[in-house]
Amino acid sequence: MRGITRRSFVSGAAAIASLAAAAGMAGCSQPKSTDANKASGPTAQGSATTSDAWAIEELGEPSETLDCDLCVVGGGGTGLAAGIQAMQLGINVIMLEKKSVTGGSFIGSEGLFAVGSHWQKESGINYSEDQLIEGCLDYHHWIANPALYKNFFQHTAGTVEWLESLGVEFDHVQSLGDSPNAWHVYKGIGSEGTGTTFMRSFGEAAKQINLPMEMSCSGKKIIMDNGKVAGVLAKRENGKVVQINCKAVIVGTGGWANSPELIRELNGSDPARVTASGMNGRDGDGLKMVKDAGGALALGAGTMATYGPILPETTYGTNLQAATSLEPHLWVNQDGERFVREDMFLKNFAYAGNAVHNQKRAFTVCNKEIIDQYINKGGDVGVGVYVVAGEPMTDLAETFPALLESKNEYVFQADSIKELANAMGIDADALSATVDSYNAMCAAGQDTEFFKPAEYMRPITSGPYYAFEVFNGYFCTVGGVSVTPNTEVMDSDRNIIPGLFAGGCDAGGLYGDTYDVAYCPGSCASWAINSGRLAAKQAARYLGMSVDDSK
């Protein structure tokens, strides 16, 4: 075996800061393929696809060989959890990470779901695990896998304690919108993101146990031998191909959030009109590798964790983005008509994403009076730990005028509603009628169209008027490959592929067509960590080791 040549851990503030800066907004470019209807039923389990969206990069002959028992592909929340757990179990493991630092998009998370944790017990919060599971399954129309849910939920409380034993700190437990009090928020500085603090601690834990990592080394293809996993082919940043010989592989590369081809293939969205918040590099490598090895897609493979409006060239979680995109002033579509109650982000941000997805174009409309109110008194929308409702957005006094003076093609301003509509490229009479109707409802204190609460009904009666064309923002993708409750990858006949495991956003089976923030807040972050642990334990069993599942 040749020595591990590149190891890196998230242990310094500088590395974290660079990740956090890059995580603000990563858009998707237009795909090369122009056939938007090329998919052949990708949401059906095990469905065949002939699209070149699934093509795997051609690799040359390996110039380097490494040996281990378990290879973990991906160094985000899932990969680090799998790697650390594997080391604790005594497995000879190597972790691959395509970037120069670990963390992935997990640094954008703020808290994770758990049920029955000591935090909840100490706060007098007592939920029935079975009732929460049933609520989630009903929400997902039973597209999700009940056995997978049960195994996941049963481990969440223990995983909170496991994380704390590694130095990760939590701050409190709370609800998120209409959700149960099950969102365990990490300790940290809100302005930098509590997920950044989480990953700093988690990365330090990996460093302390000397988890072997190959950085700037991207997993590309799973080597199979007689139907079993035999290794991984990876590519270094310098183009050199590495062969990792191993008996088991855990795939946790973060899903397909930055792949225009797979966005079209699996979700049907126009990649040019959606915006991914989080780190780039989530190119679907894991799904492609697993599918190439015979893995099937789970039902609901095309689900994205959308949150709704975002003005292009703004960053999620800033006052500017909240004021222009998420606040519950008037939202209209390409026809100049309202299409949802504008406080939907507060009620269930995933529903807001669905509503935007159903429009050809979407806009938020307000005026200077409303912007001044945000500056002096604050807005109505709290955005995680980043934007606090009711806290003056004083920085808008500088950032908003700068936005108006910028060359952002999605920002419109005018002295009249009809002039605004002309600038937006929509029917002026239609928009005028909508604004008049909306203002009348505001005066009456009742939204008779979508029943938005009266406290969010603010009239737009005087200029200057502003409109912002918004795209559909999303945190990550949550549809993936078909796995057993212990994360073993299955083929289209539901046979387990020996030695192959998938977790995090690469594993499907937990979601229907909509992210479950109102029922299971922080489920994606929680699944990332828990699935990494489950995969490592099941890999240990596959390797013939004894595992105490109570720890």
Side-chain angles (χ1 to χ4, degrees):
M1 171 182 174
R2 294 184 59 177
I4 303 298
T5 56
R6 297 185 181 186
R7 299 183 183 181
S8 178
F9 306 90
V10 177
S11 57
I16 283 287
S18 66
L19 273 176
M25 184 186 77
C28 294
S29 59
Q30 191 72 21
K32 295 178 181 178
S33 173
T34 57
D35 188 353
N37 299 311
K38 208 168 185 179
S40 54
T43 56
Q45 182 174 322
S47 61
T49 48
T50 57
S51 169
D52 57 7
W54 297 99
I56 289 182
E57 178 183 350
E58 290 291 334
L59 300 171
E61 289 297 316
S63 60
E64 182 180 355
T65 302
L66 304 174
D67 297 293
C68 61
D69 289 326
L70 170 65
C71 180
V72 176
V73 184
T78 303
L80 276 177
I84 293 171
Q85 182 70 81
M87 290 286 287
Q88 291 177 333
L89 293 171
I91 301 175
N92 178 17
V93 60
I94 293 175
M95 194 187 82
L96 307 179
E97 168 53 43
K98 72 190 302 181
K99 294 188 176 294
S100 60
V101 289
T102 58
S105 284
F106 200 93
I107 64 170
S109 69
E110 304 159 72
L112 54 77
F113 168 84
V115 57
S117 73
H118 72 86
W119 284 91
Q120 290 167 312
K121 293 175 182 177
E122 292 160 8
S123 299
I125 300 168
N126 183 27
Y127 292 115
S128 163
E129 183 179 297
D130 290 340
Q131 285 181 332
L132 289 183
I133 291 173
E134 184 177 13
C136 287
L137 290 172
D138 284 346
Y139 178 86
H140 292 301
H141 300 157
W142 287 76
I143 293 172
N145 182 338
L148 183 65
Y149 249 106
K150 194 170 188 65
N151 200 35
F152 168 34
F153 276 38
Q154 285 177 343
H155 287 85
T156 56
T159 289
V160 168
E161 294 184 10
W162 180 74
L163 288 167
E164 290 175 325
S165 74
L166 294 170
V168 173
E169 294 184 288
F170 292 86
D171 188 76
H172 64 279
V173 60
Q174 67 171 74
S175 63
L176 195 58
D178 291 340
S179 80
N181 285 296
W183 194 40
H184 293 64
V185 179
Y186 324 132
K187 270 191 178 178
I189 303 171
S191 59
E192 78 165 5
T194 54
T196 298
T197 308
F198 181 108
M199 270 302 173
R200 184 183 292 119
S201 301
F202 210 31
E204 183 61 27
K207 179 180 179 181
Q208 291 299 320
I209 63 174
N210 294 316
L211 173 62
M213 299 185 187
E214 290 288 329
M215 307 305 295
S216 301
C217 188
S218 180
K220 294 295 183 182
K221 184 179 177 65
I222 296 169
I223 303 170
M224 302 294 293
D225 184 16
N226 292 322
K228 296 181 180 181
V229 166
V232 174
L233 290 178
K235 187 177 180 181
R236 293 199 185 279
E237 195 173 47
N238 60 11
K240 290 186 177 180
V241 178
V242 185
Q243 179 170 319
I244 299 95
N245 297 320
C246 59
K247 300 174 183 177
V249 171
I250 298 173
V251 176
T253 64
W256 40 276
N258 303 120
S259 169
E261 293 82 6
L262 289 180
I263 287 171
R264 279 197 187 277
E265 178 86 6
L266 293 172
N267 182 263
S269 290
D270 179 356
R273 295 193 66 84
V274 294
T275 296
S277 295
M279 289 295 294
N280 59 15
R282 295 169 290 174
D283 301 320
D285 293 338
L287 265 68
K288 293 177 183 180
M289 293 169 66
V290 171
K291 200 162 179 21
D292 179 69
L297 295 177
L299 197 62
T303 303
M304 301 167 73
T306 57
Y307 58 79
I310 182 169
L311 172 65
E313 299 179 29
T314 63
T315 301
Y316 179 83
T318 61
N319 286 333
L320 186 63
Q321 188 263 334
T324 58
S325 308
L326 301 177
E327 286 290 341
H329 42 252
L330 181 63
W331 298 4
V332 300
N333 62 15
Q334 68 283 341
D335 300 317
E337 300 174 347
R338 295 176 72 199
F339 57 89
V340 70
R341 50 185 285 179
E342 292 88 353
D343 68 326
M344 189 56 76
F345 180 85
L346 289 167
K347 182 176 175 62
N348 184 324
F349 61 66
Y351 286 174
N354 286 348
V356 173
H357 178 70
N358 206 32
Q359 314 307 313
K360 183 176 181 180
R361 299 174 73 194
F363 306 85
T364 67
V365 179
C366 65
N367 62 1
K368 185 177 185 300
E369 182 179 353
I370 291 175
I371 294 297
D372 287 344
Q373 178 177 312
Y374 296 154
I375 294 172
N376 298 317
K377 296 181 180 180
D380 297 302
V381 171
V383 185
V385 298
Y386 304 107
V387 178
V388 180
E391 185 174 290
M393 300 180 181
T394 54
D395 62 317
L396 286 183
E398 293 184 6
T399 59
F400 189 77
L403 175 68
L404 296 179
E405 294 172 6
S406 72
K407 296 182 180 179
N408 189 323
E409 63 181 303
Y410 302 103
V411 175
F412 311 95
Q413 54 184 316
D415 292 327
S416 73
I417 291 297
K418 288 197 172 183
E419 290 174 333
L420 186 68
N422 290 333
M424 297 159 65
I426 65 175
D427 186 85
D429 290 336
L431 182 61
S432 294
T434 295
V435 172
D436 288 344
S437 173
Y438 182 73
N439 286 340
M441 288 187 288
C442 289
Q446 185 177 9
D447 180 1
T448 56
E449 186 175 18
F450 289 109
F451 313 107
K452 183 169 66 173
E455 61 263 34
Y456 303 137
M457 297 293 291
R458 297 194 179 91
I460 305 173
T461 55
S462 61
Y465 300 98
Y466 309 118
F468 312 97
E469 184 164 2
V470 290
F471 289 179
N472 205 0
Y474 59 102
F475 299 120
C476 58
T477 57
V478 293
V481 300
S482 183
V483 296
T484 70
N486 281 315
T487 75
E488 301 153 293
V489 174
M490 294 185 287
D491 64 19
S492 58
D493 293 321
R494 299 190 65 80
N495 296 314
I496 292 171
I497 299 176
L500 185 55
F501 309 85
C505 294
D506 287 338
L510 283 179
Y511 301 93
D513 59 11
T514 304
Y515 186 61
D516 53 18
V517 60
Y519 284 82
C520 189
S523 63
C524 193
S526 184
W527 172 242
I529 303 298
N530 280 282
S531 62
R533 296 190 70 203
L534 289 170
K537 290 178 179 180
Q538 193 63 20
R541 297 186 187 99
Y542 176 76
L543 294 170
M545 303 173 68
S546 178
V547 177
D548 183 355
D549 200 41
S550 65
K551 296 181 179 179

